Amino acid sequence: MEGVRRVTTQTLRQMKAAGTPIAMLTAYDYTMARILDRAGIDAILVGDSASNVIAGHETTLPITLEQMIYHAQCVVRGVTRALVIVDLPFGTYQGNSKEALASSIRVMKETGAHAIKLEGGTAVLPAAERILQAGIPVMCHLGLTPQSIYKFGTYKVRAQDKEESDQLRKDALELERVGCFAIVLEKIPTPLAAEVSASLTIPTIGIGAGNVCDGQVLVIHDALGLTTDFHPRFVRHYAKLSELTSKAVKDYVRDVRTRDFPTAEESYWVDGES
Ligand code: KIV
């Protein structure tokens, strides 16, 4: 939101109340976080999608808490305005709420980030409550939760039947009741996302949930067209960085081979030049 010096969980709530859509993107490193922050992004998610787009794993499951902490530290150094939220990785909060709190405390103490995100509804409620009791803001994530991909067995749209959509409605209300500050809704039918968003005072952030949510999030590599083999309908490419980067690298290889790079002007000739 323009004019806001530092975006907080309260700012996001006010944006929902004012009907101002919240813009969130993922980032995993200092340079990208700095660009996003200066361009006016409201919130940055240090997503466990780093497991896919940074580490090259097929799923988000392998990334560790140490690795997420490292990414979050890099991002936080690049940000002066946006709210920084960090995903708790698979296996660091599902076991019990004490472990969930310990993981969250590590993230908050070691990174300087502002909030954590958990995947799941009722199942993670005790963990969310315990983390919130310690004063740590919690964002939750419902619908197609990538850490449960082996349980789902498919990347198809979630909550299409009555049982799953009723559960998602209940989960969202419970998460709001215990004090979560926002909920990511991933790959669910737009009418359900509209209903859930209208039933809550906390913001929903959609990804593949239509423009009815209170905000939107995309993985930065998808938004910038760095990923070229991932084409779900909810991704819009705002740039073609894969093509641009490939062309730049080809030009560089050509210039090195032909000794066109570096030129005399790009070289040092006397002592003391900088
Ligand atoms: O890890 C991630 O990038 C996410 C977003 C897709 C919401 O959870």
Side-chain angles (χ1 to χ4, degrees):
M1 192 153 45
E2 276 157 42
V4 170
R5 276 185 54 226
R6 181 104 231 181
V7 178
T8 67
T9 56
Q10 184 60 18
T11 317
L12 300 191
R13 201 185 266 261
Q14 286 165 351
M15 288 175 78
K16 171 168 178 133
T20 307
I22 298 159
M24 178 160 108
L25 285 166
T26 68
Y28 317 98
D29 67 86
Y30 166 81
T31 303
M32 187 60 77
R34 198 168 139 100
I35 294 170
L36 303 190
D37 193 53
R38 289 179 170 193
I41 202 75
D42 301 307
I44 294 180
L45 173 66
V46 185
D48 60 356
S49 48
S51 180
N52 309 109
V53 297
I54 301 293
H57 293 296
E58 200 179 322
T59 72
T60 57
L61 275 65
I63 200 160
T64 65
L65 187 58
E66 273 65 31
Q67 289 164 339
M68 288 303 297
I69 286 173
Y70 171 73
H71 288 300
Q73 287 168 336
C74 300
V75 166
V76 165
R77 281 183 216 117
V79 171
T80 58
R81 181 184 166 278
L83 183 77
V84 179
I85 304 141
V86 182
D87 262 336
L88 286 193
F90 178 69
T92 65
Y93 63 95
Q94 293 94 342
N96 61 60
S97 57
K98 193 172 168 200
E99 188 189 8
L101 177 60
S103 304
S104 306
I105 288 176
R106 278 203 63 193
V107 168
M108 299 300 283
K109 263 183 140 44
E110 296 177 35
T111 73
H114 313 122
I116 60 98
K117 176 163 85 60
L118 302 175
E119 291 187 7
T122 316
V124 297
L125 219 52
E129 279 195 275
R130 191 148 181 183
I131 298 165
L132 284 157
Q133 276 159 15
I136 300 171
V138 177
M139 172 182 265
C140 275
H141 187 156
L142 298 173
L144 180 63
T145 45
Q147 292 178 14
S148 301
I149 192 59
Y150 289 122
K151 181 181 85 180
F152 298 144
T154 164
Y155 282 96
K156 79 175 172 54
V157 179
R158 302 308 312 174
Q160 297 195 68
D161 61 35
K162 181 162 166 28
E163 193 186 343
E164 201 174 318
S165 56
D166 281 351
Q167 186 60 52
L168 192 143
R169 287 184 191 91
K170 260 190 241 156
D171 285 345
L173 289 170
E174 280 297 284
L175 293 168
E176 172 170 81
R177 185 185 62 75
V178 299
C180 295
F181 73 90
I183 302 178
V184 169
L185 297 176
E186 179 161 353
K187 216 167 176 186
I188 63 168
T190 301
L192 176 60
E195 200 190 314
V196 170
S197 302
S199 73
L200 302 173
T201 57
I202 58 170
T204 58
I205 312 288
I207 173 162
N211 70 359
V212 292
C213 296
D214 303 303
Q216 298 293 326
V217 59
L218 281 176
V219 168
I220 189 68
H221 287 59
D222 297 334
L224 297 181
L226 279 162
T227 43
T228 52
D229 46 3
F230 182 58
H231 302 288
R233 76 166 74 171
F234 62 78
V235 167
R236 185 181 293 179
H237 289 156
Y238 285 86
K240 293 185 174 169
L241 286 201
S242 176
E243 274 173 36
L244 269 179
T245 307
S246 175
K247 181 177 178 319
V249 172
K250 284 178 184 159
D251 290 352
Y252 171 74
V253 170
R254 180 201 60 214
D255 291 353
V256 169
R257 297 263 195 272
T258 58
R259 296 194 189 279
D260 184 63
F261 175 81
T263 60
E265 292 74 35
E266 289 163 331
S267 308
Y268 300 100
W269 298 96
V270 293
D271 286 345
E273 277 186 332
S274 58

